[in-house]
Amino acid sequence: MIWLMLLTLAIVFFIGFRVLHSRTRRAVKALTRKLNIDVVWVESLIAMMGKNAGEEFVDYLTDDNDAHLANAASVLLIYQTFIVDESEENLIAWQAVMRKAHLPAALSIGHVRLALSFLREIEPDAQEMHAFRQRYNARFAPEEEIPANGNVFSIHSRLH
C-alpha cells in the first residue's frame, strides 16, 4: 500500500513538473530545432538571464513567429560569442550555426538592444557590445546586408 502511495506521489510530481515547464521546453525546442544545436546552449542562456528576463525570453519565443526565432538566435549568438567565449574559433563556429540555419549574417543595433534587454541581469557593457557588433559585421556581413533595425521587435511594445 505504501508503494502505491509513493508511486502515485512520484507520478503527480512528474506530471506537475512537465506541465509547469512545458512552455519553456517548447520555446527551447523551437530555437534548438531552428539552429540544429543541443538544448543545453539555450537552457544556459535562459538560466543566465535570471528569472524575469528568462520568462520574457520564453514569452518572446513562444509567439510562434519566425522573426522572433531569428532574433532569439541573434541574442544567443551575442551571448555565446560576446559573453561566454570571445575566441576566434567560437565566433566562427557560431557564425556557421547561423549560416546553416539560413539566418542573416548581420547583427543590427536592434539585436544588440534586444540582447542588452534580455541579459540585463549580468549587466553587459553596452558600448563594448556595440563595438563587438561592428567587429562582427565587418568580418561576417557585407555592408549592404546590415539592416537598421531589421525584423527586431521590442519586448516592451508587447507589454503596452
Side-chain angles (χ1 to χ4, degrees):
M1 187 67 162
I2 292 177
W3 289 105
L4 184 60
M5 289 189 308
L6 289 176
L7 180 65
T8 304
L9 187 61
I11 291 172
V12 168
F13 279 125
F14 178 74
I15 292 172
F17 178 80
R18 301 277 296 185
V19 168
L20 288 175
H21 291 93
S22 66
R23 199 173 110 250
T24 303
R25 271 197 332 276
R26 276 186 308 214
V28 168
K29 187 176 181 181
L31 187 56
T32 57
R33 186 178 299 138
K34 175 75 174 171
L35 296 175
N36 196 23
I37 58 173
D38 288 333
V39 174
V40 69
W41 300 109
V42 181
E43 288 178 344
S44 68
L45 169 65
I46 293 171
M48 286 300 292
M49 287 178 176
K51 184 175 172 32
N52 292 334
E55 288 175 3
E56 290 170 8
F57 188 73
V58 168
D59 289 342
Y60 189 77
L61 278 174
T62 55
D63 279 345
D64 290 333
N65 185 330
D66 286 338
H68 284 207
L69 278 176
N71 296 334
S74 295
V75 170
L76 180 63
L77 171 82
I78 291 170
Y79 170 72
Q80 288 295 331
T81 58
F82 175 72
I83 295 176
V84 174
D85 182 6
E86 293 184 53
S87 71
E88 189 70 19
E89 297 83 21
N90 191 47
L91 187 64
I92 291 168
W94 279 100
Q95 206 287 320
V97 167
M98 298 291 278
R99 188 176 51 246
K100 286 178 187 174
H102 305 289
L103 295 172
L107 290 176
S108 69
I109 293 171
H111 290 128
V112 171
R113 288 184 187 140
L114 195 63
L116 287 169
S117 171
F118 285 130
L119 298 170
R120 64 185 175 265
E121 291 282 322
I122 56 177
E123 300 176 353
D125 185 78
Q127 290 181 349
E128 287 181 18
M129 194 176 289
H130 282 289
F132 165 78
R133 179 188 74 85
Q134 290 173 338
R135 287 189 313 272
Y136 176 86
N137 285 340
R139 172 132 192 231
F140 293 110
E143 195 63 37
E144 65 273 1
E145 197 177 313
I146 302 172
N149 273 332
N151 59 0
V152 177
F153 301 102
S154 170
I155 59 171
H156 299 293
S157 65
R158 294 183 49 227
L159 299 176
H160 294 86

